[in-house]
Amino acid sequence: MQATESSKHVEDEIVDGLPAGFGDGLSGKIAYGIAVAFSLFQIYIAAYGSLPSQVQRAMHVGFLLLLGFALLGNLRARTSWGKWILWTLGIVGFGTGLYNWVFYLPLIQRSGFLNPVDLAVGIVLIVLVFEAARRLMGWPLAIIAFVFLLYCFTGQYLPDPFVHRGYSFEQIIDNFAFGTEGIYGTPVYVSAAYIFIFVVFAAFLERAGMIALFNDFAFGFVGGVRGGPGQVCILSSALMGTISGSGVANVVASGQFTIPLMKRFGFRPAFAGGVEATSSMGGQIMPPVMGAVAFIMAETLNVPYADIVKAAIIPALLYFGACFWMVYLESGKAGLKGMDKASLPNPWDAVRQHWPLVLPLAALVYLLFAGYTPIFAGTMGLALTIVLILGTPLAALIGPMAFRVVFWIALGLAAAAFVKFGVNVLALVIGSLILACLLFRGGRETLLICRDSLAEGAKNALPVGIACAIVGIVIGTLTLTGIASTFIGAIIDIGRDNLFLSLVLTMITCLVLGMGIPTIPNYIITSSLAGPALLALGVPLLVSHMFVFYFGIMADLTPPVALAAFAAAPMAKVSGMKIAIQATKLAVAGFVVPFMAVYTPALMLQDAGPMAAVIGYPAEVAYIVLKACLGIALWGAAVVGFLMMRMALWERSLALLAGLLLVLALPMTDEAGFALAILLIGQHLWRARAARLVSVP
């Protein structure tokens, strides 16, 4: 419970750069109401989809601008004048969405021939999106997008190969501010259709007590293992990733508790911060929800979301398995043991106590893998969570346990009827529960929890939505000017002779871009440039996009910027750079797995390799996973310098070499890697046994 309270406290303090709450006084109540209205609007659209896609996207951006500037005015403005300016910008931004709604048909009819009012609205929209991104996301992303926008206006004056034919001012505004190629492009569509619903879904689950379940289960399950607090941090972050998919926000939400706990237990401050940063960032690749990038990837590639999840399962397990292993080795090196098991909660008691919270998540997973769209699955998962929350105080009023069971069965059957009879049945169930909660004791407090969840969900979705809007400028530039083909051609020319070098260049591009921008825009930009190039070089489409996705995440862990590491620095009370170095070591799987998947796509459950023709596809997957596990284990031992005992320098070198041989997909490297690994581990075990015998009197 202490873990839950600490995590909740930090989560209330910082939400992606904005202070807690919605502001004081009347303006705070209005901002709160806007957030609730935003969530209700998005839920209604997700459930019924009654608006044209263009209008839905425009209203989504309009709400983002209104809520974003309102919160900036309430929480950041230092003067009353500044506050009202920001509120005015928000209202004007919302007006751009209404303009697209009211004049939807005329705008379509005069597409490409905008009138002066259209141009003015388009200019205002672009300026406001840039300003919102600058204030909420920082300068780097705004600067990168501005460079791309500037290229549209000045590219005709550049030398070959960067020159383009030139475009009129009206054409550029039309491309970016109207239609579906600029600000209202695919990223904003995904934000409006998928991401927002899942963010609100996570907010409801957290309010319902899912964090308590995850923390208690993690403490009880791995707290007694060597390096207990570090293992708890990893497992709880992995579990949180199944519903939130956030990265840096997870660091500040859980690190306030886990990092001091690891330090008190004996971990070095930099290593404790590295564990928190690495495990929190891994939440973005942890199925079933993963990060927002997964939804954008599914929409971009036009594949079922379940295919993205399937490709991510093994890499995610390897990523977190490597984290567990590194903490285990570091604990052995430092002589740290597990926590006192007598003081730890029983993990299965936590599951028994909070098991109803698992049901919406289970329903979500079922719907995703049953072929339903993410928007349908997310909406139904959210609705079922609301049913669960609203039904709890009503069930508490029922005396005998048998009657409670009957109540929950009846409520469950009524809620499940949506599968056959549609969303109206579920809406009727929720409406009936709301009326009942208004009438009975304890119900009104539950309604307040739901209302707060709607508001917090909208606030949490702000950074993601604004990032999707501003990155539309980049995508619009690529489609308008065709500059992406120049970059693609360069990578293809290099890759014809050396695919590995092309992969390294792509990795460096992701890491460099990630120095200043979040994972979402990093993925969108890099996949638009490098994805087609890697596909042309024979890399499976999904693998090439996962390659880019992984290194977009790694950018938040690697120096010199390492946003996740610097977010952990105040809690670890050590330099963010030192944390970044430790996080880079811990995230060894995040660097190795993408390269392995390119050469052996079966690691992501994709195309079968030559081995499958001999031993079958399942055996090929098992073999590759075994090889990856052994390679990562050897690299972990080499980095930490400990296996059964401290390793000599030559042992660490051989472990590094054996791991490299296992990762490479060249003739005879597997055989050499296995042979070297067996010899190395065998002699190390013999040396450790001999050392123990000598130490025994």
Side-chain angles (χ1 to χ4, degrees):
M1 291 301 294
Q2 184 182 3
T4 306
E5 292 170 2
S6 300
S7 301
K8 180 69 171 62
H9 174 68
V10 180
E11 191 174 34
D12 287 342
E13 285 183 352
I14 301 173
V15 180
D16 287 298
L18 284 172
F22 293 84
D24 300 323
L26 179 61
S27 62
K29 293 179 180 178
I30 294 174
Y32 181 91
I34 291 170
V36 173
F38 189 9
S39 289
L40 291 175
F41 171 79
Q42 289 294 155
I43 292 171
Y44 177 82
I45 295 301
Y48 293 100
S50 57
L51 288 178
S53 179
Q54 175 76 13
V55 174
Q56 181 182 345
R57 301 180 198 199
M59 289 302 299
H60 182 73
V61 174
F63 264 116
L64 288 171
L65 294 173
L66 176 60
L67 181 60
F69 281 115
L71 291 177
L72 288 168
N74 288 353
L75 304 174
R76 289 278 184 83
R78 298 179 181 178
T79 64
S80 298
W81 180 244
K83 177 178 179 178
W84 288 113
I85 288 177
L86 288 168
W87 267 91
T88 301
L89 293 178
I91 293 170
V92 172
F94 187 70
T96 63
L98 290 176
Y99 186 84
N100 276 270
W101 193 349
V102 173
F103 299 102
Y104 171 63
L105 289 177
L107 283 171
I108 292 178
Q109 291 168 355
R110 59 176 178 260
S111 178
F113 301 94
L114 303 181
N115 63 32
V117 178
D118 297 337
L119 285 174
V121 172
I123 293 170
V124 167
L125 173 65
I126 293 171
V127 171
L128 291 180
V129 167
F130 268 97
E131 180 63 8
R134 181 187 72 83
R135 289 179 176 269
L136 288 170
M137 311 297 294
W139 280 100
L141 181 55
I143 291 175
I144 290 173
F146 180 75
V147 170
F148 276 83
L149 179 62
L150 188 63
Y151 175 70
C152 293
F153 287 100
T154 61
Q156 64 268 34
Y157 305 114
L158 297 178
D160 192 65
F162 302 104
V163 65
H164 60 65
R165 65 180 179 85
Y167 307 93
S168 67
F169 180 81
E170 292 79 5
Q171 187 176 1
I172 292 173
I173 299 301
D174 188 19
N175 183 72
F176 289 121
F178 300 95
T180 56
E181 295 296 333
I183 290 173
Y184 300 140
T186 299
V188 159
Y189 166 72
V190 175
S191 175
Y194 307 154
I195 297 173
F196 192 97
I197 294 299
F198 279 88
V199 171
V200 175
F201 176 54
F204 269 90
L205 281 179
E206 290 173 12
R207 290 272 177 174
M210 185 64 89
I211 293 179
L213 170 60
F214 287 162
N215 284 341
D216 289 346
F217 183 81
F219 267 99
F221 199 70
V222 297
V225 179
R226 182 200 289 177
Q231 312 289 19
V232 168
C233 173
I234 295 167
L235 181 57
S236 62
S237 293
L239 293 172
M240 275 301 299
T242 62
I243 63 167
S244 71
S246 59
V248 177
N250 274 0
V251 175
V252 298
S254 60
Q256 190 80 2
F257 171 74
T258 58
I259 293 175
L261 178 64
M262 285 186 278
K263 288 172 63 179
R264 289 197 303 271
F265 195 72
F267 285 107
R268 292 175 290 118
F271 188 83
V275 172
E276 176 59 49
T278 306
S279 54
S280 290
M281 291 307 298
Q284 295 184 75
I285 60 173
M286 189 65 186
V289 176
M290 303 174 62
V293 169
F295 298 105
I296 296 175
M297 189 187 304
E299 186 66 29
T300 302
L301 301 182
N302 194 27
V303 299
Y305 179 76
D307 288 359
I308 308 294
V309 172
K310 184 178 72 172
I313 288 175
I314 294 176
L317 294 176
L318 291 174
Y319 181 94
F320 283 102
C323 291
F324 281 118
W325 176 243
M326 296 289 279
V327 169
Y328 186 83
L329 293 178
E330 179 72 19
S331 303
K333 184 178 179 180
L336 304 176
K337 298 181 181 179
M339 303 172 72
D340 181 15
K341 293 185 178 181
S343 64
L344 297 175
N346 186 316
W348 306 115
D349 285 346
V351 173
R352 281 191 290 269
Q353 182 179 355
H354 299 285
W355 67 267
L357 296 176
V358 181
L359 296 179
L361 192 59
L364 171 67
V365 174
Y366 167 76
L367 292 173
L368 286 174
F369 281 90
Y372 292 92
T373 63
I375 186 171
F376 181 83
T379 305
M380 293 304 103
L382 172 60
L384 292 175
T385 305
I386 295 173
V387 168
L388 183 66
I389 294 174
L390 293 176
T392 299
L394 300 178
L397 298 174
I398 302 173
M401 177 60 69
F403 290 158
R404 290 188 191 182
V405 172
V406 172
F407 169 80
W408 281 116
I409 292 175
L411 187 59
L413 291 174
F418 77 88
V419 176
K420 184 175 182 180
F421 299 106
V423 70
N424 285 332
V425 173
L426 203 50
L428 182 62
V429 171
I430 293 175
S432 302
L433 290 173
I434 291 174
L435 289 176
C437 285
L438 285 171
L439 297 175
F440 295 102
R441 176 173 50 86
R444 294 180 182 178
E445 291 79 1
T446 304
L447 291 177
L448 292 178
I449 292 175
C450 293
R451 191 184 68 183
D452 289 343
S453 299
L454 290 172
E456 286 297 327
K459 185 178 180 181
N460 293 345
L462 264 180
V464 177
I466 291 297
C468 288
I470 189 70
V471 85
I473 299 291
V474 177
I475 303 303
T477 300
L478 297 178
T479 56
L480 180 66
T481 65
I483 185 61
S485 61
T486 302
F487 185 86
I488 293 168
I491 291 184
I492 291 174
D493 288 340
I494 295 171
R496 283 196 187 100
D497 299 321
N498 193 328
L499 174 60
F500 182 76
L501 183 57
S502 291
L503 295 174
V504 171
L505 291 175
T506 304
M507 176 189 73
I508 293 173
T509 302
C510 294
L511 295 179
V512 170
L513 275 176
M515 288 181 185
I517 63 177
T519 306
I520 294 170
N522 187 352
Y523 162 77
I524 294 172
I525 295 170
T526 316
S527 63
S528 300
L529 295 171
L534 295 179
L535 178 63
L537 293 172
V539 180
L541 184 60
L542 184 52
V543 173
S544 67
H545 279 252
M546 291 292 286
F547 184 92
V548 171
F549 178 23
Y550 265 65
F551 285 110
I553 293 173
M554 293 300 104
D556 282 336
L557 298 175
T558 51
V561 176
L563 296 177
F566 279 90
M571 294 164 279
K573 293 181 171 57
V574 70
S575 164
M577 191 62 67
K578 292 181 179 178
I579 293 177
I581 293 172
Q582 295 298 323
T584 304
K585 294 178 181 178
L586 283 161
V588 58
F591 291 94
V592 175
V593 168
F595 282 93
M596 288 190 68
V598 169
Y599 290 101
T600 52
L603 188 63
M604 291 186 177
L605 302 179
Q606 299 303 300
D607 302 347
M611 189 182 301
V614 180
I615 63 175
Y617 185 67
E620 181 192 26
V621 172
Y623 171 78
I624 293 170
V625 171
L626 172 65
K627 190 173 70 161
C629 290
L630 182 57
I632 291 170
L634 290 170
W635 277 11
V639 169
V640 176
F642 184 89
L643 191 56
M644 298 299 294
M645 60 182 296
R646 287 183 180 270
M647 300 178 72
L649 182 60
W650 65 270
E651 288 181 307
R652 298 174 69 174
S653 301
L654 288 180
L656 192 64
L657 175 60
L660 179 62
L661 290 172
L662 290 168
V663 168
L664 294 175
L666 301 175
M668 300 304 294
T669 53
D670 283 3
E671 292 82 349
F674 277 115
L676 186 57
I678 292 171
L679 290 174
L680 173 65
I681 295 173
Q683 73 81 29
H684 183 81
L685 292 174
W686 178 82
R687 195 165 71 88
R689 181 174 179 277
R692 283 198 300 271
L693 292 175
V694 170
S695 64
V696 176

